[in-house]
Amino acid sequence: MEQKKLKLADLAKLAGVSTSTASRALNNNPVIKQQTREHVQLLAKKYNFSLNTAASRLRLQKTNVIAVIINLDAHTEQSIDDPFLLKVVSDINQAVNRRGYELLLSNSYMAGDDWHGYFIDGRRADGLIVVGQGKQQQNIDTAAKNGAPLVVWGDPKTPSNYPIVGSNNYVGGYQATMHLLEQGASKLLFLGDSGHAEIGERYRGFNNALEAHQPKGVAKLLKIDITSQAAYTAINNLLRGEGLNFDGIVACSDMVALGALKALKERYVSVPNDVRIVGFDDIAMADISHPSLSSVKQNTREAAKLLVDKLLNQLNGEECMSQEVEIELVCRQSSQ
Amino acid sequence: MEQKKLKLADLAKLAGVSTSTASRALNNNPVIKQQTREHVQLLAKKYNFSLNTAASRLRLQKTNVIAVIINLDAHTEQSIDDPFLLKVVSDINQAVNRRGYELLLSNSYMAGDDWHGYFIDGRRADGLIVVGQGKQQQNIDTAAKNGAPLVVWGDPKTPSNYPIVGSNNYVGGYQATMHLLEQGASKLLFLGDSGHAEIGERYRGFNNALEAHQPKGVAKLLKIDITSQAAYTAINNLLRGEGLNFDGIVACSDMVALGALKALKERYVSVPNDVRIVGFDDIAMADISHPSLSSVKQNTREAAKLLVDKLLNQLNGEECMSQEVEIELVCRQSSQ
DNA sequence: GTGAAAGCGCTAACAC
DNA sequence: GTGTTAGCGCTTTCAC
């Protein structure tokens, strides 16, 4: 079954043309007679011919590959297993494919610190999509400075020399908070690390909504890691220490919200009657949780498309800007 | 900042040696004097030199890339967003990296039907890891027959010409069921499509446990798609149509279990008092759900390692066999 | 409209 | 222990 791999020269011989004609025919170069083109293409299909991408890449100095780097914060327990991150990667994968590129899934383990050298100079990929500003802004800056075509998923408001695509986190935080206030909550808890760029924006929205609403609510910030476990522990400790002194929670992610929800339910605090909750991300679990979780939906699909578009535009030498993607508050049982 | 890319010849010149010596030095070939090696390596680091992988791959006929193909069943709504699938991919990614390979994330969209031609002949990857036997067993068979180094995540009991790694699904189904019976449940529902290879095995374990246990329980099969939504709808319909005529559920996945759980809670059926549930996969949500979900944990980490090991062994010309990974029942609140 | 041939950057066989 | 050189398979310039 395992026959020798056909190379372009072999195919050309079979078709009775030169390699150059065969090459042009396969690439549908209109300079070649229609009939010749079809003839070669037919033979290629018949013999399951595939171009050797290694040779082609060497010749063209182009890989048709985009590398996606998962770039988590150094001091977080949040892992690559996080459902939201994986959703982002999956959406990027689709967007990349749709533009005819392949996706090299990567992380700092393989790439080390010199991303430009590893991916671009090393001809592993034509461009980089970095998911998360987190761990090493340094690496991103350096790669961009060295001329790596590069886009980042993160907080678009962060000043940068490269395009950042992400949600309008400020509006997300604002809307979630305003919604809770309008539902009658007044003692609000923000759950998340406000030092993180995207979460900081959400927190700003949270505070501004509290400012804007009458009557004024009371705010409290619980700086925790972006994990269910951290939220669960934090809420448990808070209830044990101070009792129930809040009636609304804005969580920085759905996983965090669900961790909080679990702690509340275990202590027989009713959601949404005693405490209303809104999460962030609108992961699949938000809908399946009981009570179902209200959440600020991030449009990862559109963001992925934008990331890829901007990256390909860079490859064409165009300048690109950061861009915010609009969010949408999805109201479910946990907040009303 | 964007200087001309250094090639090996340039580096060699800088080091005052020939390209062959430079090449050997970079690859730590012991035939080169220690001192020369260090000298070249130092310069390489200093100038951020990276080998052109395209050239290297062309020359070596080896890519150091492994392609992972997400191969979902054609008639399922289960998507690449499924948390368990993504966990598998993420674990494979780590295992692949640890062995010094890169991961090309793929799907039938890019690869088409001729995987051997596309990936192997096309020199995109040295081998394939197929996640799921699902959609097109045909494609897998053909690729294997054409000599593609290939391993599959799926049901290891399926007869095949390629190695399949997966959980001992039979034991998983058996243990979950026996556990429910021992907890006092006797009218059991199996939730999932028994036509699917892995789930079929779990169902066989389910039935055998019911056979083995005294007093005998009653079994019912609800063939549904592997999604929360399908489970939610199915349980709702069942309760509406027949009332609560069961007291235990073995679900084919945690997502399915959580969908069922939601339907039960909405109708005020108490879990675990009225109905006990065990899921499958032990995804992160199982622990955060309320009540927390008992589940059969699949050891994806070990499986990923085995998949990669077997694939690399194939690349070395060794024959490989299918292998089962042991599972573990994690008992939480939903079943006791 | 098609063909001949150069060359992308690397590795390894062979020469010394 | 190191250097010279052929050649991996493709694309494209230049020639006809």
Side-chain angles (χ1 to χ4, degrees), chain A residues 74-108:
Chain A
H75 39 277
T76 178
E77 289 292 320
Q78 187 191 25
S79 80
I80 169 64
D81 298 345
D82 185 278
F84 178 69
L85 275 182
L86 291 172
K87 174 88 166 72
V88 172
V89 172
S90 150
D91 282 334
I92 291 176
N93 186 25
Q94 300 210 3
V96 163
N97 285 172
R98 252 189 280 273
R99 302 299 296 272
Y101 279 72
E102 315 232 34
L103 189 134
L104 190 70
L105 188 58
S106 206
N107 50 45
S108 9

Side-chain angles (χ1 to χ4, degrees), chain B residues 7-8 20 23 52 59-60:
Chain B
K7 63 175 103 167
L8 186 60
S20 50
S23 172
N52 182 324
R59 175 65 230 232
L60 294 174

Side-chain angles (χ1 to χ4, degrees), chain A residues 80-81 86 89 93 103 105, chain B residues 68-71 80 82-96 103-106 129-131 153 300 304 307-308:
Chain A
I80 169 64
D81 298 345
L86 291 172
V89 172
N93 186 25
L103 189 134
L105 188 58
Chain B
V68 170
I69 304 174
I70 310 284
N71 188 41
I80 168 66
D82 185 279
F84 178 68
L85 275 183
L86 291 171
K87 174 87 164 73
V88 172
V89 172
S90 151
D91 281 334
I92 291 177
N93 186 24
Q94 302 210 2
V96 164
L103 173 45
L104 189 71
L105 188 57
S106 203
I129 298 180
V130 181
V131 178
W153 165 272
T300 52
L307 283 166
V308 174

Side-chain angles (χ1 to χ4, degrees), chain B residues 96-109:
Chain B
V96 164
N97 284 172
R98 252 189 280 273
R99 301 300 295 273
Y101 278 72
E102 315 233 34
L103 173 45
L104 189 71
L105 188 57
S106 203
N107 50 45
S108 9
Y109 182 87

Side-chain angles (χ1 to χ4, degrees), chain B residues 11-27:
Chain B
L11 186 71
K13 201 165 291 173
L14 284 167
V17 298
S18 71
T19 54
S20 50
T21 301
S23 172
R24 286 188 268 243
L26 287 178
N27 293 312

Side-chain angles (χ1 to χ4, degrees), chain B residues 154 207 270 315:
Chain B
N207 281 322
S270 164
L315 293 181

Side-chain angles (χ1 to χ4, degrees), chain B residues 24-211:
Chain B
R24 286 188 268 243
L26 287 178
N27 293 312
N28 241 324
N29 189 326
V31 95
I32 300 292
K33 217 199 315 180
Q34 177 81 27
Q35 191 188 336
T36 317
R37 263 188 281 167
E38 281 172 4
H39 179 52
V40 173
Q41 289 172 10
L42 213 73
L43 279 173
K45 185 148 269 169
K46 178 172 166 197
Y47 288 101
N48 279 329
F49 173 79
S50 307
L51 281 173
N52 182 324
T53 52
S56 167
R57 285 172 186 174
L58 173 59
R59 175 65 230 232
L60 294 174
Q61 306 287 29
K62 172 118 166 59
T63 64
N64 268 283
V65 170
I66 289 177
V68 170
I69 304 174
I70 310 284
N71 188 41
L72 291 174
D73 220 327
H75 38 279
T76 180
E77 289 292 319
Q78 186 191 25
S79 81
I80 168 66
D81 299 345
D82 185 279
F84 178 68
L85 275 183
L86 291 171
K87 174 87 164 73
V88 172
V89 172
S90 151
D91 281 334
I92 291 177
N93 186 24
Q94 302 210 2
V96 164
N97 284 172
R98 252 189 280 273
R99 301 300 295 273
Y101 278 72
E102 315 233 34
L103 173 45
L104 189 71
L105 188 57
S106 203
N107 50 45
S108 9
Y109 182 87
M110 289 303 282
D113 283 342
D114 178 20
W115 295 352
H116 180 268
Y118 187 77
F119 291 109
I120 308 302
D121 276 352
R123 296 289 186 277
R124 285 178 170 84
D126 297 331
L128 313 180
I129 298 180
V130 181
V131 178
Q133 298 164 278
K135 198 184 325 205
Q136 301 171 326
Q137 194 114 21
Q138 179 65 40
N139 281 356
I140 309 181
D141 285 335
T142 307
K145 212 173 50 187
N146 288 338
L150 171 69
V151 293
V152 175
W153 165 272
D155 168 38
K157 292 211 173 79
T158 306
S160 67
N161 299 315
Y162 40 83
I164 305 179
V165 174
S167 292
N168 193 330
N169 290 296
Y170 172 79
V171 168
Y174 189 96
Q175 283 188 5
T177 309
M178 196 50 93
H179 170 63
L180 289 181
L181 291 167
E182 282 167 356
Q183 295 293 319
S186 64
K187 285 167 288 179
L188 300 191
L189 208 57
F190 185 91
L191 266 186
D193 180 358
S194 52
H196 180 289
E198 293 168 76
I199 299 173
E201 277 298 299
R202 294 171 201 172
Y203 185 55
R204 202 164 63 80
F206 172 82
N207 281 322
N208 279 15
L210 275 156
E211 282 296 321

